[in-house]
Amino acid sequence: MLKFEINDKMNKITKKNISDFKKINTYVNKFLDNKNAYLYEVTIIDSKKIKNLNAIYRGINEQTDVLSFCLLNDNSNNKKLLGEIYIAYDYATKEAKKHHWSIAYELSLLFTHGLLHLFGYDHKNKSEQHIMFELQNKILKKLK
């Protein structure tokens, strides 16, 4: 079973966000038929910090909305830590306004997106993008 911890550096995550994240966590566990006891961490940060992480770990000196780092292949990982997800709250707020949906929905989308990356899903080409985004949308529809 998947478990997660929230590290809200921005003090913006609401009870509704946590409730939605728990639902998404359950749906992902079910859809992927996960039988492993993994823990992952979700950290809410600002755009400046995520830009710095993006530059250091991906070599891209730009802001982004979400970053995921899978740690399962790390030999020092003894506690079944699946990985880390970083979400830029202020960037997410801008994206929510741009798409005319709630910040709660945007955070759920980024949470889902980041979690799918931890399980190896990607969108580097159209085929991968189709598979990942279809699953992402299927999970998000469960929140409605």
Side-chain angles (χ1 to χ4, degrees), residues 9-20:
K9 302 270 188 186
M10 304 289 295
N11 295 316
K12 298 288 187 178
I13 298 302
T14 65
K15 288 180 182 178
K16 178 179 179 5
N17 296 136
I18 292 171
S19 173
D20 288 347

Side-chain angles (χ1 to χ4, degrees), residues 104-115:
Y105 179 81
E106 182 70 17
L107 290 170
S108 291
L109 185 151
L110 296 175
F111 181 92
T112 305
H113 189 87
L115 184 53

Side-chain angles (χ1 to χ4, degrees), residues 67-122:
L67 288 173
S68 298
F69 300 100
C70 184
L71 301 175
L72 280 182
N73 296 327
D74 182 350
N75 291 334
S76 66
N77 184 2
N78 293 326
K79 60 179 185 176
K80 288 279 197 172
L81 184 62
L82 178 61
E84 300 172 340
I85 300 170
Y86 293 87
I87 297 174
Y89 186 86
D90 49 342
Y91 195 99
T93 300
K94 291 176 193 172
E95 287 296 300
K97 287 178 185 173
K98 177 177 150 185
H99 294 289
H100 306 288
W101 54 51
S102 70
I103 184 63
Y105 179 81
E106 182 70 17
L107 290 170
S108 291
L109 185 151
L110 296 175
F111 181 92
T112 305
H113 189 87
L115 184 53
L116 290 176
H117 274 306
L118 292 183
F119 276 97
Y121 288 86
D122 213 334

